[in-house]
């Protein structure tokens, strides 16, 4: 519904912009009388207020969807964004050693080390086991560069 409202506001703004151009090109006095300019500014302010209301509704809905999810510290997010290996970042954030993660996933520490250093990508099944052990979703183990 929010998307529909946003689309309607955008369409109204486009129509308003066309009307404004028409007014300025067909109205004899130049510049437009103050009362006309004031009315145009009032409409623009109303469009902005509507858009702000839609953004507030979207923010509220996003908060409700994510309020029970885990928050992640900025330093962890920053490491992921700059391209550090997600397995390593999440493992260290969870306070796990390489050996502990290897035990929980029934994988060898050397295979995990190769994944963390980029020597191997890891198979989907292995990544699912790692995600379960680190309490993250599989998408969280995809490097930031590969997501875009």
């Amino acid at each position: 519904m929010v998307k529909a409202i946003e689309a309607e506001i955008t369409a109204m703004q486009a129509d308003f912009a066309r009307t404004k151009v028409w007014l300025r090109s067909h109205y004899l006095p130049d510049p437009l009388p103050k009362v006309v300019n004031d009315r145009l500014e009032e409409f623009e302010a109303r469009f902005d207020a509507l858009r702000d209301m839609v953004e507030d509704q979207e923010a509220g809905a996003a908060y409700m969807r994510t309020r029970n999810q885990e928050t992640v510290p900025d330093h962890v997010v920053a490491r992921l964004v700059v391209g550090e290996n997600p397995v390593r970042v999440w493992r260290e954030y969870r306070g796990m050693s390489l050996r502990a993660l290897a035990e929980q996933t029934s994988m060898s520490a050397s295979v995990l080390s190769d994944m963390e250093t980029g020597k191997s990508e890891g198979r989907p099944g292995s990544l699912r086991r790692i995600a379960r052990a680190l309490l993250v979703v599989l998408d969280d183990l995809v490097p930031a560069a590969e997501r875009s």
Side-chain angles (χ1 to χ4, degrees), residues 39 61 74:
R39 187 74 171 143
D74 289 342

Side-chain angles (χ1 to χ4, degrees), residues 79-138:
R79 289 178 65 190
L80 292 167
V81 168
V82 297
E84 281 192 51
N85 183 279
V87 174
R88 175 178 285 155
V89 173
W90 283 108
R91 178 181 59 78
E92 291 175 355
Y93 174 63
R94 298 287 187 225
M96 295 177 78
S97 68
L98 201 55
R99 286 191 197 278
L101 182 58
E103 287 175 18
Q104 277 198 345
T105 58
S106 302
M107 298 171 66
S108 73
S110 64
V111 168
L112 287 170
S113 177
D114 286 349
M115 288 173 64
E116 287 186 359
T117 58
K119 292 179 183 173
S120 76
E121 291 183 14
R123 295 193 170 128
S126 300
L127 289 172
R128 277 194 290 280
R129 291 195 316 247
I130 294 168
R132 270 195 305 273
L134 295 175
L135 304 173
V136 298
V137 295
L138 189 57

Side-chain angles (χ1 to χ4, degrees), residues 6 9 45-58:
E6 181 76 22
I9 291 170
R46 288 173 60 194
F47 284 129
D48 291 340
L50 283 171
R51 193 169 300 281
D52 289 345
M53 286 173 40
V54 169
E55 288 174 5
D56 289 346
Q57 290 296 317
E58 286 177 332

